[in-house]
Amino acid sequence: MSLVVLALPLLGAGVVALVAARWRSPLTLTVLVLTLLSGALMAQGVGSGGARVVTLAAVGLPAAVVVEDGLSAALVLVSSGLALATALFGVLHRDAGAGPPAAYWPLSLALLAGLHGLFLAGDLLTAYLWLEVVAVAGAALVAWRGDGARMAAATRYFYAELVASVTFLAGTALVWSATGTVVITDLAGQVGDSTGGRLGLALLTTGLLLKVPVVPLHFWLPAAHTLAPSAVSPLLSGLVVKSAFVILLRTWVGGVPEVGQPTLALLLGVLGAVAVLWGGLTALRVERAKVLVAYSTVSQLGLLLLAVPLAVAGSGEAWLGAAFHAIAHALPKAALLMAVALLAHTMGGGTVDRLTGAAARRPVAAFAAGLAALSLVGLPPTGGFVAKWYLVVASLTTGQWWWAATIVAGSFLTAAYLARLLQRFFRGAGRTVAGESEPAERGRADVVALGLAAAGLLLGLYPNALLGLLDVGAPLGVMARG
Amino acid sequence: MAEASLGSLLPVLLLLTSLVPAAVIFVLPEPRERARRLVNMAGAILKVVLTGVLIAGVLGGGEYEWRRELLTGVDLVLRVDPIPLLFVTLSSILWLTTTVYAIGYLEPGQRRSRFFGFFSLCVTATIGIALAGNLVTFLIFYELLTVATYPLVVHQGDHRALVGGRAYLLYSVTGGAVLLVAVAWLHVLAGPVEFLEYAPLAGLAGEHATSLTLIFVLLVAGLAVKTAVVPLHGWLPKAMVAPAPVSALLHAVAVVKAGAYGIVRVVYDLYGLALAQQLRLLTPLLALAAVTIVYGSLRALAQDDLKRRLAYSTVSQLSYIVLGVGIASLTGVTGGLVHLIHQGIQKVTLFYCAGNLAKQLGVTRISEMRGVGRRMPLTMGAFTVAALGMIGIPPTAGFVTKWHLGLGGLEAGQGWVIWVLLLSSVLNAAYFLPVIARIWFLRVEGERPGAPTLERDLERDPWLVLPAVATGLSVLLAGLLAGAPLSPLSWAASIAQEVAGS
């Protein structure tokens, strides 16, 4: 099934690019539905049949390795679903009167193919290939039909991706020459032996940190994610940022936990903690709602990195927590971005101040934003809570309580900056007097946002299916042991 | 078999009787007032009926438990035990009266759809807190309560409401975070521990005494925020900007009660009195409660705004419950538990009356209350009874509480508690008696003696008057009939028998 979830969007992108403009959106939606179904079949297969590694031989190159495990299956499933929801949102909501440009449809399919490739990649060279696909498609989605500012943001985004890719490729080459392999699970016990191997690992890690991105390498993210059209931002902030992290997680937890540990792992954790706090503090200050959400992404991405020192210390809960967070963050973040776009559309501007009183003007979108916020803060019983619960338990069981403190502080900051946004929704909303001249607005796009936010809640109410799936083939299985 | 499935279904049904109305009300368009009223009342009445069924069942020895695995090793548990049932009974009855009151209180155009949606969600969270069979379940509903209450606190949507709401959120989220850390820590230390299962913690007391003490401090700190224990009480007076039915909910039915109830469960049902005494946790708790009781009363004295005075009075009164928890004697436990009920019915009455005053006469300050007794005799009668209850004058409910707390203090060899109670009662009298005197014995300025003052219109709306009169009456009955079976007192006494009887 793994090849189907790759081939469908990839071929779909090609076909959609060739057909007439009016057929593009229905065809894209069809391809996305089929991809989602294949993703579900794949998840079911992995869940019942266990993890599987497929090696594809190619002439003159190291074999490409495809990993079908719980992590990749879950991510493929969620990214297909989220891409479908975002495409629906693009059909139903029009920024400033115009729908997504014709190029949006093939590009978003290509992006999804790249993401699936990364989720499934089991070797560094394949990963590099898909990283490039994601970078090109992502930057093009930001840039397409953009004005000067958007063009500049897209350019900066693309250059950052380019530098990161080259760094990653250089690192991969060094690791290859030092160990003779690029298959991530074969790196164990080999990379640390030589200077070249260690340097290669450092380089490819740096490339990935720039791609995720992790503070202080996040400079390109806020502008790109903020200026992107409202049917692109959910893909970027929900999914694209997770793709490089998956490679990072596989490399550091699945591949080379013994290298330079625990000092280097600790360094990654510290970077994550800085990101959590820095992103949160910045989100408290910014003026535009979408920028606030972008810094929220910077902050939440830091949480993912905390899993590295915890997993290196042997905690299986850390892997589960990070993987769950990668998914539990994607859905409400996309919902929040959609809701903010809808509210900004209704209120005639996207600054935090401008959204004052939005709860009365567009109640469904405001409710979706509130529901998404609960999950992002990590309040029970949402998916965010489950992720943070596992990370906190991992910190306490390994005795590294300072990560638990970071997580709690991060949640507190998240609550603070989201409350800063959400409390404005209620201002002046107690009476309908103002609302009578401006009746409440709602559309089908609001329901898409609400559905994604509700999915974040459902993840917390019924986490076991996803947890069980994520545990399949995990390097530090929790459920399998217990 | 059918019996067993019904037993596990009832706790869930109890949640659904407010969760389903919440969902329906959110979807109902604003103008559908009658449909909304119907859903609200049906849910509230059904909840009271179900509570009655549960009481009858528990008296007959039935067991009601629902559980589902949430995460590996972490269960979601709803269980009906005697202490939860006490809280459920209070919440479901006061939810009914407060729903009636809110229907009368909110005018068209006040976004009643949103209000009643979150209102029902609030009660769902409270029932969940009451029935929680372990700390994780408790935490889930505790956080839900914070979230569901916030839109109610800021319902007016003006600057003051938002400032009050911000304070509420800041305190509550901090408290929730502290609680989460404590819960996770305990989970890592002791694995899944359920309420009413003391052995796991008692077994750890030798080796991990320090950890257990620290966890206790964190747990109580997290809960004390909602209980408004000094110095964590700052949000409560600020949150009184909310509409009167919300204040009633905050002060009597849900929020502050949830905190106090949490402390009760942590001490009685998680650590157990024996372990708490062994770790010397109760004396600091007692001291904290005593300070709060006196401080709250002192601050209440200085307030002219009626709702603010009532808010500080809540700060003080809530800690009577904590005081009861700290007194490790049979009578002391009884006094603390019974006050969970008594404080609820007294304070809810006071807020109904304050709301009626503000709504019908525009009176919000105590200095404006001259002679209002003759204009709104029913409302002010209820207010007077509840205020006398707060002071602790027999035969009201408040007297029963103070009597038992004082006696319990003596029993436990903590005679100084009596002095705290006396001082507090004097202060209570000092801030309530002048109000009562002003209500009944002073004339409205510029009024001629003997002029007709009774304006029937002021008390014509049964939705507003009936709840206040009913709860006011219950304050009297709870005191007069304290010895009867199924009175709050005899109920509390039988629970105390289990908690501290050995």
Side-chain angles (χ1 to χ4, degrees), chain B residues 9 17 25 33 97 181 203 205 242 274 278 284 291 316 324 344 378 413 418 492 499:
Chain B
L9 217 60
T17 47
I25 290 166
E33 175 61 22
T97 59
V181 171
Q278 185 194 333
V291 169
S316 167
L378 288 173
I418 296 204
V499 172

Side-chain angles (χ1 to χ4, degrees), chain A residues 47-404:
Chain A
S48 57
R52 209 156 66 94
V53 176
V54 185
T55 308
L56 305 169
V59 183
L61 280 173
V65 176
V66 173
V67 184
E68 278 189 39
D69 62 358
L71 180 63
S72 58
L75 282 166
V76 162
L77 184 61
V78 170
S79 60
S80 310
L82 190 50
L84 179 61
T86 310
L88 266 177
F89 183 81
V91 173
L92 297 172
H93 173 70
R94 295 165 182 276
D95 277 338
Y104 169 78
W105 307 105
L107 279 174
S108 64
L109 282 174
L111 182 73
L112 186 65
L115 290 172
H116 285 181
L118 276 172
F119 297 152
L120 291 161
D123 68 286
L124 295 172
L125 220 51
T126 316
Y128 167 74
L129 181 77
W130 293 117
L131 279 173
E132 290 291 28
V133 173
V134 169
V136 172
L141 277 169
V142 176
W144 211 269
R145 293 240 194 111
D147 55 5
R150 179 128 72 85
M151 218 55 196
T155 311
R156 198 146 65 131
Y157 173 36
F158 186 66
Y159 278 132
E161 289 278 8
L162 202 63
V163 171
S165 295
V166 170
T167 316
F168 180 81
L169 186 63
T172 304
L174 279 171
V175 167
W176 189 7
S177 66
T179 64
T181 181
V182 287
V183 178
I184 294 173
T185 45
D186 292 348
L187 297 177
Q190 298 199 48
V191 175
D193 296 345
S194 64
T195 319
R198 284 201 295 268
L199 182 63
L201 186 67
L203 278 177
L204 74 87
T205 304
T206 310
L208 290 173
L209 289 178
L210 177 55
K211 272 181 182 289
V212 167
V214 173
V215 173
L217 303 174
H218 66 290
F219 55 89
W220 58 266
L221 182 141
H225 284 210
T226 307
L227 297 173
S230 62
V232 173
S233 307
L235 295 176
L236 295 181
S237 300
L239 298 174
V240 172
V241 292
K242 310 292 165 47
S243 58
F245 171 73
V246 169
I247 304 300
L248 198 68
L249 189 69
R250 285 196 191 285
T251 309
W252 276 87
V253 179
V256 290
E258 91 292 355
V259 181
Q261 55 140 309
T263 324
L264 280 177
L266 185 71
L267 183 65
L268 286 178
V270 169
L271 282 177
V274 171
V276 168
L277 302 178
W278 177 255
L281 287 172
T282 312
L284 278 174
R285 288 187 288 116
V286 296
E287 272 176 32
R288 293 176 54 82
K290 219 173 160 185
V291 180
L292 185 151
V293 181
Y295 275 101
S296 158
T297 306
V298 169
S299 171
Q300 302 261 347
L301 288 173
L303 277 181
L304 293 172
L305 256 76
L306 301 187
V308 175
L310 293 170
V312 166
S315 168
E317 279 91 357
W319 166 278
L320 269 189
F324 202 95
H325 183 62
I327 287 166
H329 169 249
L331 300 171
K333 181 51 66 72
L336 185 59
L337 278 166
M338 290 177 187
V340 164
L342 294 170
L343 293 170
H345 184 74
T346 299
M347 304 303 287
T351 61
V352 173
D353 278 334
R354 203 56 189 262
L355 296 182
T356 301
R361 298 279 305 280
R362 197 149 192 170
V364 178
F367 193 83
L371 200 57
L374 301 188
S375 207
L376 291 173
V377 175
L379 287 182
T382 61
F385 171 72
V386 176
K388 285 182 182 172
W389 173 264
Y390 274 105
L391 288 173
V392 166
V393 166
S395 324
L396 295 179
T397 39
T398 55
Q400 306 182 35
W401 55 267
W402 46 90
W403 304 130

Side-chain angles (χ1 to χ4, degrees), chain B residues 119-407:
Chain B
F119 199 72
S120 304
L121 217 51
C122 245
V123 176
T124 310
T126 310
I127 298 292
I129 286 173
L131 296 181
N134 59 20
L135 267 180
V136 173
T137 316
F138 184 92
L139 179 72
I140 288 175
F141 286 106
Y142 195 75
E143 300 282 25
L144 177 65
L145 183 63
T146 302
V147 172
T149 319
Y150 174 78
L152 296 175
V153 173
V154 300
H155 190 77
Q156 300 287 1
D158 54 11
H159 180 69
R160 279 177 64 220
L162 287 175
V163 170
R166 193 180 308 157
Y168 173 63
L169 214 54
L170 183 66
Y171 277 87
S172 298
V173 169
T174 315
V178 171
L179 199 59
L180 168 71
V181 171
V183 172
W185 191 356
L186 196 65
H187 183 80
V188 169
L189 196 68
V193 185
E194 309 223 327
F195 291 144
L196 284 177
E197 183 196 32
Y198 319 106
L201 292 194
L204 291 171
E207 201 181 336
H208 294 287
T210 319
S211 295
L212 281 181
T213 307
L214 281 174
I215 291 173
F216 183 85
V217 170
L218 288 176
L219 284 172
V220 170
L223 293 164
V225 171
K226 275 209 171 67
T227 323
V229 170
V230 172
L232 306 171
H233 65 287
W235 62 273
L236 191 59
K238 287 196 180 119
M240 61 85 211
V241 296
V246 177
S247 296
L249 190 82
L250 286 178
H251 287 260
V253 191
V255 178
V256 295
K257 268 311 158 44
Y261 174 77
I263 295 180
V264 166
R265 295 227 86 178
V266 165
V267 174
Y268 292 164
D269 293 344
L270 191 70
Y271 278 66
L273 267 185
L275 179 61
Q277 273 177 311
Q278 185 194 333
L279 295 171
R280 295 175 200 287
L281 301 170
L282 293 181
T283 313
L285 197 62
L286 208 55
L288 208 59
V291 169
T292 307
I293 289 174
V294 175
Y295 178 85
S297 300
L298 282 173
R299 290 297 302 269
L301 262 179
Q303 310 300 326
D304 184 36
D305 186 301
L306 179 59
K307 281 179 82 179
R308 267 184 88 85
R309 184 171 291 191
L310 293 181
Y312 276 109
S313 155
T314 303
V315 171
S316 167
Q317 291 279 333
L318 245 290
S319 278
Y320 280 94
I321 302 170
V322 184
L323 192 77
V325 172
I327 301 174
S329 74
L330 190 62
T331 322
V333 172
T334 310
L337 283 175
V338 80
H339 203 52
L340 206 62
I341 302 284
H342 287 166
Q343 189 271 346
I345 54 180
Q346 287 173 174
K347 194 42 75 60
V348 95
T349 311
L350 291 173
F351 271 106
Y352 292 157
C353 298
N356 283 352
L357 267 184
K359 188 175 166 70
Q360 306 291 27
L361 293 173
V363 169
T364 57
R365 300 189 161 277
I366 293 159
S367 49
E368 301 164 347
M369 287 173 73
R370 296 168 65 104
V372 289
R374 278 174 292 167
R375 304 177 71 182
M376 302 176 74
L378 288 173
T379 306
M380 286 301 114
F383 183 93
T384 306
V385 170
L388 293 177
M390 285 293 177
I391 303 171
I393 291 173
T396 56
F399 168 71
V400 177
T401 302
K402 291 191 182 179
W403 176 261
H404 282 85
L405 284 178
L407 242 119

